[in-house]
Amino acid sequence: MSESDVQLGSVTFVGSGPSDLGLLTLSGARALGQADVVVTDPSIDAEELTEHTAAHATVEVVGDDELNQLLSPARDGLTVVRIGSFDEFTLPTGDAFSSLLEIDGVRVNVVPGISRWSAALTYGAVRAEGSLAAMECGSQVPAIDEWPSAETLVLRTSGRNLPQVAAQAIHRYGATGQVLQVCKVATTSQSSDTLTWREVKAVEDPEVFLIVGPHIESHRRAKVSWFENKPLFNWRLLIPRTKDDLGQLVDQLAGFGAKSEIVATLSIEPPRTEQGMERAVRGLVDGRYLWLVLTSPHSVGAIAERLREYGLDSRALSGVSLAAVGRGTAEALLELGLMPDLVPVMDNTVGGLANEFPSYDELLDPLNRVLVPSADVSVEALVEGLGRLGWEVEDVTAYRTVRAAPPPAEVRADIKTGMFDAAVFTSATAVRNMIGIAGKPHAATLVAAIGPATAAACEMHGLKVDVIAKAPTYEALAESLAAFADKRREAQNAAGLPTLRPSQRKRRRRRTPSAS
């Protein structure tokens, strides 16, 4: 084989920014989407990463032999992406990059992420005017005469090196000179404090930024809604999940600065008998039904799985009209390449679908049969509604919902002792199941409900509801909780009280029984 016949692979180093994939650039996302192999830092959420990768791509955590991990698939002609929180050329990932530059036959590309240096300024709300310099103090702290003399200086160091940095800085700025210390930059746990150099102490954080300049006391930090000023900054939220995907809700809450922990309260299992689904899918393929009504993403998955078992795909549903209840169901169909013909607009529920479903027309409709694969729960309202419209409805159990196993003991303990700042309920079922498997949240934990029915279920179980969403949507639920937190913080400030999260309440000490 000639050298020209060899298929060259490539390795692209993609910076993800200083915190998470939320700061990934469009070029970085494009590189991930074209990759065959993705090698990632352990700190990056692999599940979140797969949302940006192709279906065939493999994702693996970087190992001890990073160079071979990148080089081997590239030599096989594959496209490799190495993603991490580094800024190649300013904060290199290690020796693998330099070694690859010396190897012929492999293309090496770099897609920069958001620079840590600029992120420290931006998230610290500091304007850099005049001269600007950056200095790395990670491995050792330079003597003060080696420090840049810029008007604005950004230093990066580790928490344990802070005393050594401060000792040098005092020679130039004095013990009472001011510095902005930013820890956990661009994360929901970020902290930024204006200190004197005398007050700078060692901390646990592996990465800390120190900013010196004329604008570190800027009012912008109090005005701009960076993480620390967000209404749910560093709040720990409990979100019980039933059947629906809560990704959008988690994203909305993260936008307000919260960290969410999802507790599964339902488990999805196959039907007790398979005959019903087998007949239903054969009927779909044979043209027995004119409409297929899908009531949840799980019903979409159940149909797709059964088709795959027969060696078929979504093309087998050609000619069948599709109705989808709920945005998640419609999105599950789109992932299969199927566009729903009907999604309720006024009331996107099982009961509301019947109000927008077309009537059976003997002249236009060749069939009057409708298939409704659903969970082992009643869809009687839908069946009756479609029956009044002239349709013959067949309801088949596609999957079963059973109460999930209790969460880990540590999570149950945190729920009962008030270590969560708020519990966010998206349905009455979530309320019942969560209390059944984990117990009631502590009285100090705020309770947010997506609507009146969910709020009523909370109250029925003895929970005081603090927040009811203005509309039954994830966006409205997140905004309503954030607005409540804003008002709560304003009330604390007006009363001259420290701004504390609900989980930071003053806890009573347990009394120790005295000896008689």
Side-chain angles (χ1 to χ4, degrees):
M1 181 183 295
S2 66
E3 188 174 332
S4 60
D5 293 330
V6 178
Q7 184 180 4
L8 294 180
S10 66
V11 179
T12 301
F13 289 79
V14 174
S16 64
S19 58
D20 56 30
L21 292 178
L23 296 181
L24 190 68
T25 64
L26 288 175
S27 295
R30 190 180 302 116
L32 281 173
Q34 297 170 349
D36 300 308
V37 178
V38 178
V39 180
T40 176
D41 283 346
S43 59
I44 295 178
D45 187 340
E47 184 175 344
E48 184 181 359
L49 190 60
T50 57
E51 297 177 7
H52 301 276
T53 60
H56 72 275
T58 59
V59 177
E60 52 192 60
V61 177
V62 63
D64 295 333
D65 189 0
E66 180 183 356
L67 176 60
N68 186 60
Q69 195 173 1
L70 301 175
L71 184 59
S72 179
R75 279 182 164 163
D76 290 336
L78 299 179
T79 300
V80 183
V81 164
R82 169 71 171 96
I83 185 168
S85 59
F86 45 79
D87 302 307
E88 206 53 70
F89 293 111
T90 57
L91 292 175
T93 180
D95 296 332
F97 176 75
S98 299
S99 299
L100 283 169
L101 293 179
E102 305 298 324
I103 297 175
D104 294 330
V106 175
R107 296 188 301 273
V108 179
N109 310 302
V110 175
V111 178
I114 301 297
S115 167
R116 293 173 121 70
W117 307 98
S118 61
L121 289 167
T122 301
Y123 284 91
V126 176
R127 181 182 294 279
E129 293 182 350
S131 57
L132 169 66
M135 186 170 73
E136 174 64 39
C137 303
S139 56
Q140 64 180 45
V141 180
I144 194 64
D145 57 358
E146 298 178 20
W147 287 32
S149 56
E151 292 177 68
T152 301
L153 175 61
V154 184
L155 300 94
R156 175 183 177 271
T157 186
S158 64
R160 68 174 182 273
N161 280 350
L162 285 173
Q164 293 94 314
V165 175
Q168 291 294 332
I170 287 174
H171 293 302
R172 175 178 294 181
Y173 304 106
T176 59
Q178 291 193 320
V179 58
L180 177 65
Q181 178 176 299
V182 186
C183 301
K184 297 183 176 68
V185 64
T187 72
T188 55
S189 298
Q190 177 181 306
S191 65
S192 55
D193 302 292
T194 303
L195 308 170
T196 65
W197 284 108
R198 181 189 294 123
E199 295 171 325
V200 173
K201 308 294 182 185
V203 297
E204 295 293 330
D205 301 79
E207 181 179 67
V208 178
F209 288 90
L210 299 169
I211 305 175
V212 184
H215 298 294
I216 63 172
E217 285 284 15
S218 171
H219 68 285
R220 294 184 184 91
R221 205 154 41 256
K223 294 290 185 181
V224 178
S225 184
W226 300 135
F227 287 111
E228 294 157 275
N229 293 320
K230 291 188 175 184
L232 301 177
F233 169 66
N234 213 20
W235 280 40
R236 184 187 180 197
L237 306 183
L238 171 70
I239 311 181
R241 183 183 67 201
T242 52
K243 297 179 296 181
D244 297 326
D245 179 17
L246 298 177
Q248 185 189 12
L249 176 59
V250 170
D251 290 343
Q252 292 281 345
L253 293 167
F256 291 111
K259 297 182 293 186
S260 301
E261 295 184 29
I262 295 176
V263 173
T265 67
L266 281 181
S267 177
I268 305 301
E269 297 185 2
R272 298 185 188 281
T273 60
E274 300 288 344
Q275 289 84 353
M277 276 294 287
E278 290 176 357
R279 287 195 300 269
V281 172
R282 282 200 300 268
L284 283 171
V285 176
D286 294 341
R288 174 177 170 79
Y289 305 103
L290 186 64
W291 279 89
L292 172 61
V293 176
L294 298 154
T295 58
S296 74
H298 297 294
S299 61
V300 177
I303 291 292
E305 182 179 358
R306 185 66 64 177
L307 288 174
R308 284 193 295 270
E309 290 178 358
Y310 291 135
L312 303 172
D313 57 22
S314 57
R315 289 173 294 182
L317 300 180
S318 175
V320 180
S321 296
L322 304 173
V325 177
R327 180 166 51 187
T329 308
E331 291 175 351
L333 281 172
L334 290 173
E335 289 178 2
L336 295 176
L338 297 170
M339 178 71 71
D341 300 281
L342 174 62
V343 177
V345 176
M346 301 301 295
D347 180 10
N348 202 352
T349 64
V350 172
L353 175 63
N355 297 326
E356 300 184 38
F357 208 85
S359 299
Y360 170 66
D361 189 318
E362 293 183 357
L363 297 178
L364 298 178
D365 297 320
L367 298 169
N368 73 333
R369 282 187 291 273
V370 177
L371 176 64
V372 183
S374 62
D376 52 346
V377 295
S378 175
V379 288
E380 186 175 345
L382 175 63
V383 174
E384 291 181 354
L386 297 186
R388 288 192 295 270
L389 296 173
W391 297 100
E392 179 183 327
V393 182
E394 293 185 23
D395 175 22
V396 61
T397 298
Y399 60 94
R400 293 184 300 126
T401 56
V402 298
R403 183 173 287 180
E410 313 88 74
V411 175
R412 298 199 304 273
D414 287 350
I415 292 172
K416 294 176 181 177
T417 57
M419 300 307 294
F420 287 94
D421 296 294
V424 181
F425 293 102
T426 57
S427 68
T429 303
V431 178
R432 292 191 296 269
N433 288 356
M434 202 280 288
I435 292 176
I437 64 174
K440 292 196 295 187
H442 191 277
T445 303
L446 299 180
V447 173
I450 199 168
T454 304
C458 290
E459 293 170 351
M460 186 182 301
H461 287 82
L463 300 179
K464 175 182 174 294
V465 179
D466 302 282
V467 179
I468 301 178
K470 295 181 179 179
T473 65
Y474 290 160
E475 182 179 8
L477 179 56
E479 289 178 349
S480 297
L481 180 57
F484 180 89
D486 266 336
K487 292 179 181 178
R488 180 178 179 275
R489 181 165 58 182
E490 290 172 4
Q492 289 175 328
N493 292 337
L497 300 173
T499 304
L500 300 176
R501 305 189 307 274
S503 62
Q504 292 176 308
R505 70 196 183 284
K506 186 176 181 181
R507 295 177 174 85
R508 296 180 179 179
R509 293 183 178 180
R510 292 185 178 180
R511 291 185 176 181
T512 303
S514 57
S516 56

